[in-house]
Amino acid sequence: MLDMFIKVILSIAVLLLFIVPGYVLRKMRLVDGGSKRALSSILLYVCQPALIISSFCVFSDEEWLIISELGSAALVKDFLIAAVISLVAMLAVFAVCKLVFIKYRDKDRANIYSYIAIFSNCGFLGVPFIEILTDGSILAVMYLMIFNLVFALVVWTLGVWLLTGDRRNISVKKMLLNPSIISMVVTLLLFFVPQINFFMFEGISEIQILPEYLSTMTAPLSMIIVGISMAELPLKSLFTDVGAYIAGALRLIVAPVITFAIAVAFYFMCSGFLGNTPQVEYVFLAPVIAMCMSPAATVVAMAEQYQKGGQTATIAFITNTLLSVITVPLILMAALQLWSLIA
């Protein structure tokens, strides 16, 4: 437990330190609102797709051997189970948010709080935690990345609607032409047809640097945008927004509890055809671990991109990222202990 607390504190401390450059640059007037929107576009349309590609197209020889031994059929089955659990969990949290904020007068703020509650920082924090819990199992990491794929799909549909309040922004055409969705389709094609995965071709392996480097920019760039937004706010406003704490309770406690209940239900429904997949429990636990994390760092970038609720998003994100230092290890340990009693 102590190791988990230390890991949480260090991970979140690093995450928050990335805020400093953006904060300082904005205070020195070296960047402005236009710069913030430009950075948001790079993050959402370049770095996020690169993260998806890097996760499913770039592997070491040892990792690819493990994946190959499992086989495509077993992987598809496991991926589908993890994806359905992830999607059902996000929609269930959305339904709870609608009930909680049904009488909230400011609908724009309520939608920002709902976004905070639904979407977790599953990439930057989720991957390190599942690596620690499974001693770096590539299969466990991939199950968590399936959550990230569902996350990308829901962010660019439900998430966009929450931030804009306009269903026209989630048209089928816009969704299919979105870089994140395009990268998902290309990534899964390259993964399941490795013969055309040029990222793994011998002799040109240096090309792996492109998605890997761009993907590592995701967390720093997200937080730099948060820092720029934070510099435009009075510091005292960061901890006085009651709605942010309600969103935090939903994000950090209610969301993982709901996801755990859904994962347990799917475990019993699927137990008859699970087979002997190594670490199969993480097909179910990966979405839970992902949902335990602090709010998605991209909430501020998305709010800035659509020019809706940037201040509210910044306040709610920072407040609940700090609170997650306490909640993440507690919820994680409780979930793992309960799972050991059930499975």
Side-chain angles (χ1 to χ4, degrees):
M1 176 67 82
L2 179 60
D3 290 343
M4 184 66 69
F5 270 109
I6 293 173
K7 182 62 180 178
V8 171
I9 292 171
L10 290 177
S11 297
I12 294 177
V14 170
L15 186 69
L16 293 174
L17 282 174
F18 284 131
I19 289 175
V20 175
Y23 185 88
V24 172
L25 289 172
R26 185 67 183 98
K27 285 296 186 182
M28 295 177 65
R29 299 184 180 179
L30 295 175
V31 296
D32 55 17
S35 302
K36 186 166 55 177
R37 289 205 69 194
L39 291 174
S40 298
S41 295
I42 294 171
L43 171 66
L44 298 173
Y45 298 119
V46 178
C47 297
Q48 276 200 327
L51 178 62
I52 295 171
I53 294 171
S54 177
S55 301
F56 281 91
C57 294
V58 179
F59 303 100
S60 68
D61 292 339
E62 294 78 10
E63 291 172 342
W64 186 247
L65 179 61
I66 294 171
I67 294 167
S68 300
E69 288 178 346
L70 184 56
S72 296
L75 279 171
V76 169
K77 177 193 66 179
D78 292 346
F79 285 177
L80 284 174
I81 293 172
V84 173
I85 293 172
S86 303
L87 180 60
V88 171
M90 291 181 195
L91 294 178
V93 176
F94 170 66
V96 171
C97 290
K98 295 297 286 184
L99 291 174
V100 170
F101 296 114
I102 193 169
K103 294 184 178 180
Y104 208 85
R105 293 182 179 179
D106 190 334
K107 295 303 179 184
D108 287 340
R109 291 171 72 91
N111 286 340
I112 291 287
Y113 297 144
S114 296
Y115 188 107
I116 288 284
I118 297 166
F119 301 112
S120 69
N121 203 338
C122 50
F124 182 71
L125 292 179
V127 172
F129 276 110
I130 205 163
E131 286 179 338
I132 292 170
L133 294 170
T134 64
D135 294 324
S137 166
I138 184 60
L139 293 177
V141 172
M142 290 185 70
Y143 299 144
L144 185 128
M145 291 311 300
I146 289 296
F147 181 96
N148 282 0
L149 291 179
V150 176
F151 171 96
L153 182 63
V154 179
V155 157
W156 286 105
T157 50
L158 177 60
V160 168
W161 175 72
L162 284 172
L163 291 177
T164 64
D166 189 347
R167 286 188 174 89
R168 289 175 296 180
N169 286 305
I170 55 171
S171 67
V172 174
K173 180 180 178 181
K174 289 183 178 180
M175 182 182 71
L176 293 178
L177 294 179
N178 182 280
S180 290
I181 305 303
I182 293 172
S183 67
M184 285 172 56
V185 175
V186 173
T187 293
L188 291 175
L189 177 63
L190 294 179
F191 178 77
F192 284 109
V193 188
Q195 293 83 358
I196 62 173
N197 183 1
F198 49 87
F199 291 104
M200 298 292 288
F201 287 174
E202 293 185 12
I204 58 170
S205 59
E206 289 78 9
I207 199 173
Q208 296 177 358
I209 293 174
L210 181 60
E212 287 184 328
Y213 280 23
L214 287 173
S215 66
T216 58
M217 290 169 56
T218 302
L221 200 54
S222 298
M223 301 311 294
I224 287 171
I225 295 166
V226 172
I228 296 172
S229 299
M230 184 177 169
E232 299 169 348
L233 301 174
L235 288 179
K236 64 180 181 181
S237 68
L238 292 176
F239 306 103
T240 57
D241 187 342
V242 176
Y245 290 98
I246 297 174
L250 292 169
R251 159 93 306 277
L252 300 172
I253 300 173
V254 175
V257 169
I258 288 174
T259 308
F260 184 84
I262 292 170
V264 170
F266 271 84
Y267 174 76
F268 286 114
M269 287 190 294
C270 300
S271 59
F273 57 90
L274 287 176
N276 296 317
T277 302
Q279 296 188 320
V280 68
E281 67 271 19
Y282 286 102
V283 173
F284 305 93
L285 283 175
V288 179
I289 293 169
M291 271 295 203
C292 287
M293 299 299 118
S294 58
T298 54
V299 61
V300 180
M302 291 283 282
E304 293 297 338
Q305 187 70 18
Y306 291 101
Q307 297 183 307
K308 280 289 187 79
Q311 177 173 323
T312 301
T314 302
I315 291 170
F317 172 79
I318 293 174
T319 300
N320 292 303
T321 297
L322 292 173
L323 290 174
S324 69
V325 173
I326 299 171
T327 63
V328 168
L330 293 177
I331 296 294
L332 270 180
M333 296 307 295
L336 294 175
Q337 288 290 338
L338 285 172
W339 187 267
S340 67
L341 297 175
I342 294 170

